[in-house]
Each structure stands twice: as C-alpha cells, then as structure tokens.
C-alpha cells in the first residue's frame, strides 16, 4: 500500500510538468500581448513596452521563461507576479481558491446527499412510478445548460419571490452561496443519481444479495452494508474526478452569480494573456485532480478489499 | 484611459454640448431632487467598477477602472471651469510668456494624506520618477514635451537612460518650480489636469510597488483599503484644501465582473451608482429607474480606422472613403442597433471639448446612397470591391459592425464583412503588426478637453494613437504650427482649421459619439457624470 501511494505521488511530477508546459506554450501561441494590452486604443511607446517586457522577463525565449517560472515555484514556492496588477500570483490564488473551495464543497455535498439519495430511492424502486419520476427529473436537469438553469433560479427566487439576493456579495457567505452551489452541483447531481440507481438496480439482483436476504438479515443492513458498499464504487470514481471539474468548471456559474473565484480568474487570465496566473491556477487544479484520484483509489481498497493493491 | 476631469468643467460642458437633460450647473445650488430628503454629509455610497488593471500609481493607471480611483485620491495642479478655462486646484498660478517656459506656483498648506507637505519637489521628483524608463510606467510618454525627456526615456528600447532627471524641471523654492518644454505648447497647462501629473509623497519612493497597493495622495479622498477583486474603500479627506471638497463621507468602489450583475444589484439596492448599463438591460432601464436613469453625451468618439498601409488604401483617392462614409446610415443604426446609446458623429472632435465644431465634416457624415455611389465611382472604386471591418469579439461590437456593413453594401454594392478577432488583445496585435485588412474599430476618450487631443494624438505621423499609420506631411506641418501658436486661442483655432481639412484626407471615418447610459439608487442624489463618462464622486450626496 505504501509503495502504491509513493508511486502515485511520483507520477504527479511528470503530469505536473507536462500540464504546466502545455499551458505555458498554449498561452504563448495565442495572438495578443499582455503588455501591449495595457495600453489599449491609445497606443504604446516602444521604449516603455520594451522596458516593461524586460522587467517581466517576457523578452526571453519561452522555454527560458518556463524554466524561470517552474524553478521559482519549486524552489521558492513563488508563482511570479501578475503582469497587469503586479500582485504576486500566490495572492491572487489565495483570494480565488477559498471561495471556490467553499462553492465547490457545497455543490459537492449537495451532489452527494441529494444525488445518492435520489439514486437509492430510484434504485430500490426500479421500474415503479417514483423511479420514473426521478429519471425524468434527472434527464431534465442534464438537458438544461447551466447558464439557463442559473438564470431560471435567479429570475424565480431572486426577482420574483425575493427569497435570495441575485448576486453573491464580496464576502461570499455560506447562505449566499447556496443558490450557485445548487446550480453548479445540479448537473453532476443528476449523473450521480443515475449512476447510483443503475448499479443498485443491478446489484439488487446479484447472488450475494439473495444470500443476504435468505439469511434473514435486517433490511437496513442489507441495503446499508451489502448493497451500498458495492454499488458505490463507480459513484465514488465519478465523484472523485468531479470535484476537480467543479472547481475548474465553475466559470459559467461564478460569472452568473458574480462569485469572485477560480472560474472567473481563469477566464480573465486567458483574456488578458496572463500566462503566469493561468499556469498557477491550473497547477493547483492539476494537483487537486491528482490528489482526488489518489483518494478515490485508496477508497476503492476500503470499499472492496479485493481491489487492494500489493 | 480617461482624461482630466473636473466637476465644474463637466457640468458646464454638458450645457455647451447641448443635451444637458437635467444636470444643470454642477454647483451647490442646483441638484435636481435636492429638496427631496435630508442629506447625510458623512454617508458612504458605492460605485460599480471592475478590478483595476494596474497598481494604483498615478502614472501607471491608464484604464477606467483604475483611473476613477486614482482621480479620487490624487489632485492635480489644475482643473477646468465651465467655459473651458483653467482653474487652479493645487497650483496658485501656472504662468508662461512664450508657451515654452512655464512657472508653476503652488498653494501653501497642502498636505498629503500622511501629513507631509506638498512641495515643488513633490511634483518634480514624481514626474522625473514617472518619466524614467527604468520605472516602466505606462503613461511615461506624457512627459515627452518636457526638455530632457529623451535623456531619461530614450526612444531606442535598448538604450540606457543618460540621466535620472529631466533638465527642463527646476525647483525655484519650496512652492515654485519651472517647466521648460522642448517646443512651445500653448495647451500644456491643460495637460496638467491629467492624473499622470500628480505629486507623490516621499514615502512613495521607498517602495513604489507597495505604494501602488496603498496609495497616499493629496486629493479629496483618503485611501482606506483595497480588498482585491472585491472592493476599494476611500473616505473623505477632511483636511482637503481644494475647492472640490467631497459632499459625502466616502466611496466604496465595488467590483463587478459583468454589467448585468451590477444592474441587478442596483435594483436590489446593493450598489448605488453605475457607470454603464449592460446592453441587455438598455431597453428597460429607463422604465425601471425613472428619473434615476442617466442618458447624456460625453467626450468620446467611435470611428472606423483606415489601415492606410494596405494595398487597398495606399494610393486610393480619399473620395472613395468619403463615399463609404456617406453610405453609412448613422441615424438608423444608432437608434435601432445601438438602442440610442450613441449619437451620430459629424466630425472628428467629440462634443464638450474646447474647439468642438458641429457639422465640421459637412455632407460626408450624412447618409446619401446616390452621392456615395457617385463619389466611389469618381475616386476609382474600392480596390477589390470588398472591405473588412476588424473588431474584437469580446466587446459587443458585432451587431453594429454588421449593421454598418449592411448599410454600405445596400447603398453602394461594395461587399463588406466583419473581421472578428477573438478579443481586444488580438485586435490590438493585428493593428500594431499592420495586419488590418481595410478598416478597424477605433475609439477615443478625451485626455484633456482641447481639440488637439483628438487630432494631434490620432493623426500626427508616428503618434501612439495613430493605429492606421496615417501620414501626411502637409498636415504634420499644420499641427506643428498650431502647437507653436502664441496663445491657446490661436492654437485651438489652428486645430479647428485642421479638422475642417480632414475631410480631404479621411484619416478615419467618424461614426458616433458615446453617451453615458447609467443609473443610480434611491439612496443617493445629485449624481452627475463627467465628460470622461465617470460619475463625479465628490458631488454625490447620500440621503439620510
């Protein structure tokens, strides 16, 4: 087990280098210059442009820039400065991540509780009316784009009923994040529900279930331990990668509800050609992904001893 | 980049510029609805902004999200009164005999927010610092008029500065300094109202980077805090000696990523003053806000820039451009596609600027398909018979570009297509690299309210704003002559003559002037907008 974890952690290094280099190169190939962009319609004088580029190290070859940047991160934990604002990227990340962690965390909890809950109900009553209602409901959610859903939530609950504020304030309190979290989590929620339902319905018919019932175990134990434990493996796999997706994919939701998180910062960094900020963000997202898939793999072992690695 | 501004100048300019719907004169006596409620002189209100692009260093702040904040924190030497005449703010006097050597006397007893006095040195040192290439300030080129600028800011990007200070700046005593220019420039004193000419306290130089995060100024508001991407807070400076003292307790600049969310917050009372309404809400904002809806012109113009270096325009008769200009139905497009947010342009200098002349372009900006066709034919036709209009897709320009194209094609039969660039950065890139196919979307907001700003900075050979690389020796000569005129009046007149002549060259095709379409909450009153389109913060009153 220990060796397995170590190997997984070592695998992170090439993935980490590969993704950051890719992002670096991609931003570099986009047309448009972050420094020139600061001047807008008014035009820039070449000397100032060159001086600014030089100060930021943008006049060096791209691989040299990449090397400087990566050695900064690895050796000093320094993510560089933002081109426009001159703020350290670590500050920018420090502002953006806590908010998004909270938003993604809430969406995640909603997704687990409601998703698995609905899935269980549907799975246990496969083929009956409740099951069909839940299937139609999840289909509906899957087919509505996030921005439409967000817009509907805002229109109904903020403008017509007046229950919530239309936008999240700069403090991003828990209560304010509820609406965007529901919107953000809804799509995955539908997938989780369907996934749970299918595996449960399948496992209900399996031999060990029949044995468990034949043994006369109480229903709570049959469902809670025997059925759930085996049915959750694919769901956990999905949830693991989904947390990363929730954090990175919050661009639309965050924009819609004016949440100052990772999604908006990613979008902004692309538009402003802020390579360093973007790489910093993505680096952390990559780490989240890697960590989550590690946790998922470890959870497998807990759920099903047969999958345990040597 | 936003220009110099002043409460008084602006309100007055609004009258000159006609439309002044209800904004009366900006002074104490006339605020509409002023009698409605008692005013809380210490009340704090909030304004919608985006996150400033740069640190809040006056010489580094070019875009509007930052300049609205630096303008609140820093006061300059001068401002403008309603008739466009200079008004002294931090300066006691700005004198010159030959427009070349300027003597500036400061008012006594002015202090920075940290308590240190504002002296001649505060200005001279700040300007030298900002102009120095080593400090790479985006607005450094504003000091190019001053003698010795080339020594601290060599043109060749690789050259090292020869000196640390400009030889043209001399401190006479604590409250007097002189500025010697390379050439006479009658409207130099007008430029002094721009943020870049702000003084800086001694503490700035210890750590300029930190000072950009926590600016100490000499203006009507004191900086309190900057919570990045959330808000910037400033409070009234009670020791402020200037005439434009704040009528409220302070301002919170609230950060919004989209105009739509800001408008929703305005309706639910979470933000007090907007600078612009999102296109989506334009059709309803007047009925939503009633008399709190704002709709007035400001000094900015949108044009079709002509890529003069292309095969298409290099040797083409300007008559063709005149013809194309006449094929654009500005009235209909501004009313329908742009929903009344713009006003058809009739010249190259925007309204509310010293030397603005209505209808200077004559027939060229009037829609006339028959004449348009005739002119294009006379000029030898459009090479290739197809034109492109380059624009950035992230700025909401697609709709009007299509409308302009349709109008041109319908009127003249010249094929026309939009040439969309993914975003503003890519758009600028193509302009700098001389890759524009025929036209590009251009825009200009005033820096200082003199017509030279709309001509010299755009059409002079080599000017930074001359993205179309227009060049005409005759015009350059006339610009030089106007710049070296003996008095401001003569200079303005000189530029008026030049503007009249632009019809012959058509360096750009004027489209329309911008308007402020904004609104404010029930919590505030006396909200007016300056000629640069920003709300005049010091005049806003918070209701009890």
């Amino acid at each position: 087990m220990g060796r397995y974890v170590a190997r997984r952690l070592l695998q992170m290094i090439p993935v980490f280098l590969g993704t950051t280099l890719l992002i670096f190169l991609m931003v570099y190939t986009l047309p448009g210059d972050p420094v020139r962009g600061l001047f807008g319609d008014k035009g820039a004088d070449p000397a100032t442009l060159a001086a600014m580029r030089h100060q930021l190290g943008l006049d060096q070859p791209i691989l040299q820039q990449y090397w400087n940047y990566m050695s900064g991160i690895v050796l000093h934990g320094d993510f560089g400065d933002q081109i426009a604002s001159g703020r350290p990227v670590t500050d920018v990340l420090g502002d953006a991540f806590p908010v998004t962690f909270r938003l993604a965390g809430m969406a995640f909890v909603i997704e687990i509780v409601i998703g698995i809950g609905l899935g269980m109900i549907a799975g246990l009553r496969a083929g009956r009316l409740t099951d069909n209602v839940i299937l139609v409901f999840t289909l509906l959610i899957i087919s509505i784009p996030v921005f439409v859903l967000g817009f509907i939530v805002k229109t109904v609950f903020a403008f017509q009923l007046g229950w919530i504020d239309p936008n999240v304030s700069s403090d991003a309190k828990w209560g304010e994040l509820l609406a965007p979290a529901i919107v953000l989590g809804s799509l995955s929620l539908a997938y989780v529900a369907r996934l749970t339902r299918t595996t449960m319905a399948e496992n209900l018919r399996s031999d060990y279930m029949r044995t468990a019932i034949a043994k006369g175990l109480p229903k709570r134990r049959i469902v809670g331990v025997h059925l759930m434990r085996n049915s959750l493996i694919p769901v956990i796999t999905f949830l693991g990668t989904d947390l990363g997706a929730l954090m990175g994919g919050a661009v639309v939701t965050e924009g819609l509800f004016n949440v100052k998180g990772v999604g908006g910062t990613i979008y902004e960094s692309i538009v402003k050609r802020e390579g360093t900020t973007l790489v910093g963000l993505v680096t952390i997202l990559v780490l989240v992904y890697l960590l989550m898939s590690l946790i998922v793999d470890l959870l497998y072992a807990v759920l099903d001893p047969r999958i345990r690695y040597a | 980049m936003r220009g110099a501004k002043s409460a008084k100048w602006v309100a007055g300019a609004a009258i000159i510029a006609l439309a002044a719907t209800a904004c009366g004169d900006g002074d104490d006596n006339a605020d509409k609805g002023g009698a409605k409620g008692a005013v809380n002189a210490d009340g704090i209100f909030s304004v919608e902004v985006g996150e400033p692009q740069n640190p809040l260093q006056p010489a580094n702040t070019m875009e509007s999200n930052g300049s609205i904040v630096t303008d609140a924190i820093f006061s300059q030497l001068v401002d403008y009164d309603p008739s466009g005449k200079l008004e002294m703010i931090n300066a006691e006097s700005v004198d010159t005999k030959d427009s070349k050597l300027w003597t500036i006397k400061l008012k006594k007893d002015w202090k920075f927010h940290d308590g240190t006095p504002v002296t001649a040195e505060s200005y001279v040192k700040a300007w030298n610092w900002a102009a120095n290439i080593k400090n790479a300030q985006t607005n450094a080129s504003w000091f190019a008029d001053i003698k010795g600028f080339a020594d601290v800011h060599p043109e060749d990007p690789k050259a090292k500065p020869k000196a640390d200070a400009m030889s043209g700046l001399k401190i006479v005593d604590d409250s007097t300094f002189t500025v010697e220019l390379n050439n006479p420039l009658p409207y130099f004193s007008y430029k002094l109202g721009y943020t870049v000419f702000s003084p800086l306290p001694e503490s700035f130089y210890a750590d300029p980077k930190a000072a950009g995060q926590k600016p100490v100024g000499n203006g009507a508001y004191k900086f309190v805090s900057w919570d990045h991407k959330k808000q910037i807070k400033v409070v009234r400076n009670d020791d402020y000696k200037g005439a434009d003292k704040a009528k409220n307790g302070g301002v919170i600049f609230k950060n919004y990523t989209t105009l739509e969310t800001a408008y929703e917050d305005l309706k639910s009372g979470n933000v007090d003053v907007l600078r612009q309404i999102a296109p989506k809400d334009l059709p309803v904002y007047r009925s939503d806000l009633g008399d709190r809806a704002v709709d007035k012109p400001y000094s900015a113009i949108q044009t079709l820039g002509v890529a003069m270096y292309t095969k298409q325009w290099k040797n083409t008769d300007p008559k063709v451009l005149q013809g194309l200009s006449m094929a654009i139905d500005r009235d209909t497009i501004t009313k329908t596609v742009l929903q009344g947010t713009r006003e058809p342009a009739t010249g190259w200098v925007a309204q509310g600027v010293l030397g603005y002349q209505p209808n200077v372009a004559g027939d060229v900006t009037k829609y006339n398909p028959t004449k348009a066709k005739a002119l294009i034919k006379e000029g030898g036709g459009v090479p290739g018979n197809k034109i492109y209009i380059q624009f950035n897709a992230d700025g909401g320009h697609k709709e009007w570009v299509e409308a302009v194209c349709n109008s041109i094609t319908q009127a003249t039969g010249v094929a026309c297509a939009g040439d969309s660039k993914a975003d503003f950065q890519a758009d600028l890139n193509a302009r700098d690299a001389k890759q524009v196919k025929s036209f590009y979307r251009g825009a200009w907001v005033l820096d200082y309210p003199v017509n030279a700003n709309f001509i010299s900075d755009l059409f002079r050979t080599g000017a930074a704003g001359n993205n179309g690389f227009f060049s005409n020796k005759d015009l350059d000569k006339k610009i030089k002559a106007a710049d070296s005129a003996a008095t401001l009046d003569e200079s303005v007149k000189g530029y008026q003559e030049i503007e009249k002549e632009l019809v012959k060259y058509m360096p750009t095709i004027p489209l329309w002037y911008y308007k402020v379409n904004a609104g404010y909450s029930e919590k505030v009153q006396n909200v007016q907008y300056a000629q640069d389109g920003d709300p005049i913060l010091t005049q806003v009153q918070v209701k009890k």
Side-chain angles (χ1 to χ4, degrees):
Chain A
M1 195 70 182
R3 263 179 64 195
Y4 172 66
V5 174
R7 208 170 62 206
R8 285 301 300 268
L9 288 174
L10 279 177
Q11 274 176 8
M12 281 182 172
I13 297 172
V15 174
F16 178 73
L17 289 177
T19 38
T20 45
L21 180 63
L22 265 180
I23 302 284
F24 227 89
L25 293 175
M26 281 197 278
V27 177
Y28 187 76
T29 45
L30 283 175
D33 170 358
V35 179
R36 173 63 181 88
L38 297 176
F39 292 82
D41 274 318
K42 303 276 173 175
D45 80 296
T48 311
L49 264 186
M52 290 179 80
R53 280 211 193 96
H54 181 70
Q55 282 188 358
L56 293 159
L58 294 174
D59 50 353
Q60 292 164 335
I62 176 71
L63 288 176
Q64 176 78 37
Q65 285 182 43
Y66 176 71
W67 170 251
N68 292 346
Y69 186 68
M70 291 316 286
S71 55
I73 294 183
V74 176
L75 299 179
H76 317 289
D78 175 14
F79 283 73
D81 289 344
Q82 258 193 323
I83 290 166
S85 64
R87 291 174 68 207
V89 170
T90 31
D91 280 10
V92 178
L93 303 182
D95 281 350
F97 270 97
V99 180
T100 299
F101 269 128
R102 239 184 303 170
L103 179 63
M106 273 176 84
F108 198 58
V109 171
I110 292 171
E111 178 183 330
I112 292 176
V113 174
I114 303 183
I116 296 184
L118 285 180
M120 272 173 68
I121 297 170
L124 291 174
R125 286 169 206 185
R128 283 195 265 166
L129 180 67
T130 355
D131 179 36
N132 283 323
V133 170
I134 290 174
L135 279 180
V136 170
F137 170 70
T138 49
L139 180 69
L140 202 68
I141 294 185
I142 290 173
S143 53
I144 300 178
V146 178
F147 67 91
V148 176
L149 192 65
F151 196 70
I152 293 173
V153 168
K154 264 175 114 162
T155 315
V156 173
F157 295 104
F159 300 136
Q160 290 182 354
L161 298 173
W163 291 354
I164 55 169
D165 269 339
N167 296 309
V168 176
S169 75
S170 50
D171 304 328
K173 294 190 202 89
W174 291 101
E176 295 173 332
L177 286 175
L178 192 61
I182 292 174
V183 172
L184 181 62
S186 61
L187 184 65
S188 315
L189 180 153
Y191 285 124
V192 169
R194 294 190 143 219
L195 214 53
T196 316
R197 176 201 172 267
T198 315
T199 48
M200 281 184 82
E202 243 167 53
N203 286 340
L204 265 178
R205 275 179 260 126
S206 60
D207 294 344
Y208 67 85
M209 285 301 295
R210 213 176 321 136
T211 316
I213 296 167
K215 275 201 295 190
L217 288 176
K219 186 153 191 220
R220 231 181 47 217
R221 194 165 163 79
I222 299 175
V223 175
V225 179
H226 293 251
L227 181 59
M228 284 307 287
R229 196 161 161 173
N230 285 294
S231 305
L232 278 184
I233 290 178
V235 179
I236 297 266
T237 318
F238 176 79
L239 285 175
T241 45
D242 196 48
L243 186 63
L246 282 181
M247 296 194 52
V251 178
V252 176
T253 319
E254 289 191 354
L256 210 58
F257 288 92
N258 200 42
V259 181
K260 302 288 182 341
V262 173
T265 314
I266 288 182
Y267 175 74
E268 195 188 324
S269 327
I270 296 174
V271 168
K272 288 188 179 164
R273 306 286 184 276
E274 290 269 11
T276 53
T277 319
L278 196 59
V279 174
L281 285 164
V282 174
T283 307
I284 292 183
L285 283 182
V286 166
L287 290 179
V288 170
Y289 265 105
L290 290 172
L291 215 69
M292 283 315 292
S293 62
L294 180 68
I295 294 174
V296 167
D297 285 351
L298 296 180
L299 271 181
Y300 275 176
V302 176
L303 286 173
D304 187 348
R306 284 174 306 176
I307 325 182
R308 214 166 266 172
Y309 287 80
Chain B
M1 177 149 73
R2 290 299 172 86
K5 79 171 185 201
S6 140
K8 287 183 176 170
W9 154 250
V10 162
I15 298 167
I16 299 166
L18 61 102
T21 33
C23 304
D25 41 271
D27 269 319
D28 308 341
N29 48 2
D31 38 297
K32 68 170 173 169
K36 265 186 202 159
V39 169
N40 176 8
D42 293 325
I44 290 181
F45 68 99
S46 56
V47 182
E48 163 273 328
V49 293
E51 170 81 355
Q53 213 176 46
N54 298 308
L56 295 171
Q57 299 160 327
N60 216 3
T61 307
M62 222 176 201
E63 40 71 66
S64 52
N65 292 327
S67 66
I68 188 172
V69 184
T70 43
D71 281 347
I73 297 169
F74 289 92
S75 275
Q76 288 76 40
L77 293 164
V78 299
D79 238 336
Y80 321 97
D81 83 351
S83 59
K85 284 213 181 86
L86 273 188
E87 186 177 70
M88 300 301 135
I89 298 294
N90 198 172
E92 178 78 46
S93 63
V94 178
D95 294 320
T96 183
K97 286 193 182 94
D98 53 2
S99 301
K100 200 173 173 197
L101 183 71
W102 297 74
T103 308
I104 296 162
K105 281 203 171 73
L106 300 179
K107 281 185 186 148
K108 303 250 157 75
D109 305 329
W110 273 57
K111 283 196 169 64
F112 286 107
H113 300 152
D114 60 2
T116 54
V118 181
T119 62
E121 201 198 346
S122 317
Y123 279 94
V124 171
K125 208 171 163 186
W127 296 4
N128 277 327
W129 187 87
N132 197 319
I133 187 79
K134 278 191 272 179
N135 301 316
Q137 299 284 293
T138 45
N139 281 332
S141 57
W142 274 80
F143 300 99
D145 301 319
I146 299 172
K147 200 175 161 193
F149 176 75
D151 295 337
V152 296
H153 194 108
E155 237 173 82
D156 177 13
K158 284 184 194 103
K160 289 236 161 71
K162 275 186 257 166
D164 279 339
M166 292 180 278
S167 56
L169 294 178
K170 289 207 177 70
I171 300 173
V172 178
D173 58 48
D174 252 9
S175 57
T176 317
F177 66 103
T178 59
V179 184
E180 193 184 349
L181 306 181
N182 290 318
N183 302 297
L185 195 65
Y187 51 88
F188 178 69
S189 50
Y190 274 78
K191 288 193 174 187
L192 293 177
Y194 190 52
T195 331
V196 70
F197 292 101
S198 302
L200 291 170
E202 198 52 41
S203 61
F204 177 89
Y205 307 100
D207 188 352
K209 213 173 150 187
Q213 300 297 326
K214 215 175 171 308
V216 174
N218 62 333
Y221 291 101
K222 279 195 272 197
F223 175 85
V224 178
S225 62
W226 184 358
D227 202 355
H228 283 277
K229 300 230 169 139
K230 289 173 188 163
Q231 61 177 43
I232 296 172
K233 193 178 175 192
V234 299
V235 293
R236 182 179 56 214
N237 174 14
D238 284 320
D239 297 329
Y240 188 60
K241 297 280 191 300
D244 49 339
K245 233 176 171 9
K247 290 179 179 162
N248 46 63
V251 188
I252 291 172
F253 299 93
K254 259 192 169 179
N255 191 313
Y256 286 93
T257 31
T258 64
L259 292 174
E260 283 87 358
T261 47
Y263 184 67
E264 286 161 2
D265 265 17
L266 176 74
K267 282 195 292 186
S268 48
N270 289 331
V271 66
D272 296 318
V273 177
L274 294 194
R275 298 179 302 168
Q276 199 67 35
I277 304 272
K280 175 173 88 74
D281 300 308
L282 279 172
V284 294
Y285 91 102
R286 286 188 190 87
S287 58
D288 277 357
L289 300 178
D291 59 358
R292 292 180 286 116
V294 176
D295 180 11
K296 73 176 271 257
Y298 72 98
S299 302
I301 186 170
Q302 195 155 57
T303 57
L304 287 186
V306 186
M308 290 293 179
Y309 47 84
T310 56
K311 243 190 214 161
Q312 191 161 37
W313 303 126
K314 213 178 224 166
N315 296 309
T316 304
D317 195 323
K319 272 189 186 146
V320 177
L321 293 169
Q322 291 176 354
L324 289 173
S325 173
M326 292 184 83
I328 301 168
D329 187 354
R330 293 172 179 76
D331 282 326
T332 310
I333 295 172
T334 48
K335 264 182 213 132
T336 56
V337 181
L338 293 165
Q339 306 184 45
T341 58
R342 309 273 198 282
E343 206 169 291
T346 57
W348 286 267
V349 175
Q351 314 177 36
V353 166
L354 209 59
Y356 163 74
Q357 330 174 70
N359 283 320
V360 70
D363 288 344
V364 169
T365 54
K366 305 237 157 51
Y367 181 58
N368 187 340
T370 353
K371 222 172 155 199
K373 252 190 245 166
L375 274 168
I376 292 175
K377 210 174 161 197
E378 231 177 284
V382 176
N385 208 35
K386 174 149 195 184
I387 55 171
Y388 295 90
I389 300 175
Q390 178 180 309
F391 64 98
N392 47 319
D394 62 346
H397 301 297
K398 189 166 181 273
E399 288 74 17
W400 69 254
V401 167
E402 273 171 6
V404 167
C405 265
N406 281 338
S407 180
I408 289 176
T409 310
Q410 270 179 20
T412 64
V414 174
C416 174
D419 180 14
S420 152
K421 299 284 169 203
D423 50 31
F424 194 33
Q425 312 261 351
D427 176 48
L428 289 172
N429 218 40
R431 290 195 217 170
D432 289 351
K434 296 196 177 184
Q435 285 167 349
V436 178
K437 286 182 192 155
S438 44
F439 294 107
Y440 64 90
R441 169 208 69 85
W444 193 262
V445 190
L446 90 165
D447 300 316
Y448 47 93
V450 183
N451 54 358
N453 184 222
F454 283 82
I455 296 172
S456 172
D457 291 309
L458 283 170
F459 307 133
R460 187 166 35 81
T461 304
N466 189 347
N467 287 174
F469 298 93
F470 171 80
S471 174
N472 182 292
K473 276 187 197 139
D474 191 35
L475 210 65
D476 283 345
K477 241 185 250 161
K478 282 179 181 154
I479 288 175
K480 209 167 175 198
D483 279 348
S484 43
T487 64
L488 179 67
D489 282 351
E490 279 171 46
S491 172
V492 168
K493 267 192 202 118
Y495 273 110
Q496 283 182 325
E497 291 307 311
I498 296 171
E499 195 191 1
K500 279 179 198 155
E501 275 183 41
L502 288 178
V503 182
K504 286 198 293 196
Y505 307 113
M506 298 297 288
T508 61
I509 296 178
L511 288 176
W512 30 71
Y513 305 122
Y514 280 82
K515 284 208 278 184
V516 182
N517 293 92
Y520 49 93
S521 77
E522 280 165 354
K523 214 181 97 188
V524 290
Q525 62 186 17
N526 201 27
V527 182
Q528 293 153 20
Y529 289 77
Q531 280 310 92
D532 61 1
D534 278 345
I536 302 164
L537 303 174
T538 49
Q539 299 292 312
V540 174
Q541 294 171 332
V542 181
K543 290 187 201 167
K544 256 183 187 149

